[in-house]
Amino acid sequence: MWRALPLLLGLALAACGPQGGREALTDSRIPPGLAPRFMPPAGWAWGVLDSSGQPQIRYGVSGPDSRRPAAHVVIVPAAFEPAESWFETASDLNAAGYAVWTIERPGLGGSGRYVRPHDMAHSQGPGAEGAAIAAVIAAAIRPGDDLPIVILAAGDADEAALSAIAEGAPAAGLILSAPPAPPGRSDRVVGLARRLGLGALPAGDWRPWSRQTQLVAGGDPWRAATVGAWSLANPDLRLGGGSLAWRSREAPSGRTAPPVATLVLGAEGRACAGCTAQAVPGASEAPQLDRDEVRNPWRAAILAFVAARAESVTAP
């Protein structure tokens, strides 16, 4: 076993960086038969930010028709949700008068990938992800703009969003949509592998992408099916399983509220010191893909929160 250790360490170090990865996807194809409400908002455009030591970061943007937006809403999707699965929500926010951005974390969605196989989820942790989000906001959104920014972090993007604000992202508000409960202690095998630097190697039960691995727990079958549809039409969006480092990520036991107004939305009012928690009965892990009776209250809470932040920031 010990003779194999140098080889394993060499493989891990070779796979930890962007070498062997791929560039960001900026020409995603619309799946055949996709309903118009799930298509890109009018005027949608993709952009790419090169980040030192990390894969390319893909972001997208669209704005309201023929009027100046009242605020910027920055959506950070969950790990296994490509930005394309947020197009319906982006259109809703555009219709309400807001500019909408999506920022996919390095190694996820349509952003560049770290390692081969390309459908393995791998991350350098919330700190690196937060720095990447803050870099996109600084480079693409904020310069010369006095509009408030509200970050909408989905699922496991919560820690990355908190880190982005700690890195100096100029957010006026933060929404945590269905954040996961803090995980328990990692098992000994995963913990040992992480200490040995084997985080980029596949977990023992890792499987490549398939139609089953791409299923998202959305309550509406038509909305949830859009995730798999986009992945079928665009192989670069596919994610199968995670590396050991990904699987052993541990969030703090109690979330710390950033120095901005924060709204937590989900099936339960999860703890966050100083945050406003609003339960959305029946919400799944992906409320944007839920049926109307669940998604509508979730959407209304987001619109009300963004409107309040826009009013409070722009008021004299």
Side-chain angles (χ1 to χ4, degrees):
M1 173 181 177
W2 296 109
R3 292 180 180 178
L5 183 58
L7 173 61
L8 293 174
L9 287 173
L11 289 172
L13 292 173
C16 278
Q19 300 88 349
R22 64 152 177 79
E23 295 184 347
L25 172 69
T26 57
D27 59 348
S28 59
R29 296 178 293 277
I30 297 178
L34 189 72
R37 61 182 170 140
F38 302 131
M39 290 185 180
W44 184 266
W46 294 110
V48 172
L49 181 69
D50 289 317
S51 180
S52 176
Q54 296 191 75
Q56 291 180 325
I57 306 163
R58 183 177 76 153
Y59 62 91
V61 61
S62 62
D65 293 336
S66 66
R67 53 176 161 163
R68 186 175 187 266
H72 295 289
V73 179
V74 179
I75 299 173
V76 185
F80 294 90
E81 299 169 5
E84 286 82 351
S85 69
W86 283 85
F87 280 161
E88 183 182 14
T89 300
S91 295
D92 292 339
L93 290 164
N94 285 158
Y98 306 118
V100 178
W101 302 74
T102 59
I103 301 177
E104 291 168 298
R105 292 170 283 167
L108 302 174
S111 287
R113 299 287 166 81
Y114 283 98
V115 295
R116 298 182 184 276
H118 291 156
D119 62 349
M120 181 199 302
H122 180 66
S123 168
Q124 292 184 351
E129 294 176 346
I133 295 168
V136 174
I137 292 176
I141 304 176
R142 195 60 182 177
D145 192 345
D146 59 352
L147 298 179
I149 295 174
V150 176
I151 298 177
L152 168 55
D156 59 9
D158 56 342
E159 296 296 332
L162 291 167
S163 178
I165 294 175
E167 289 283 339
L174 171 64
I175 302 171
L176 303 180
S177 175
R185 183 176 300 175
S186 301
D187 61 73
R188 293 182 179 180
V189 175
V190 172
L192 175 62
R194 193 178 191 183
R195 289 194 295 273
L196 291 176
L198 306 182
L201 299 179
D205 60 350
W206 177 83
R207 294 291 182 273
W209 179 91
S210 70
R211 297 193 182 195
Q212 296 301 314
T213 61
Q214 200 65 41
L215 293 177
V216 174
D220 182 274
W222 294 103
R223 289 188 173 109
T226 61
V227 179
W230 281 103
S231 299
L232 282 173
N234 299 273
D236 283 349
L237 294 179
R238 299 175 182 178
L239 275 176
S243 67
L244 284 173
W246 176 266
R247 296 169 62 87
S248 62
R249 287 164 36 125
E250 292 189 3
S253 57
R255 295 180 178 86
T256 301
V260 298
T262 303
L263 174 65
V264 182
L265 294 172
E268 302 173 357
R270 297 225 167 95
C272 179
C275 298
T276 299
Q278 181 171 335
V280 181
S284 66
E285 296 176 359
Q288 81 279 8
L289 302 175
D290 252 317
R291 60 193 187 278
D292 284 345
E293 52 264 39
V294 173
R295 184 177 180 273
N296 287 345
W298 169 85
R299 179 183 61 182
I302 290 173
L303 292 174
F305 181 84
V306 176
R309 298 314 306 153
E311 183 177 353
S312 65
V313 171
T314 57

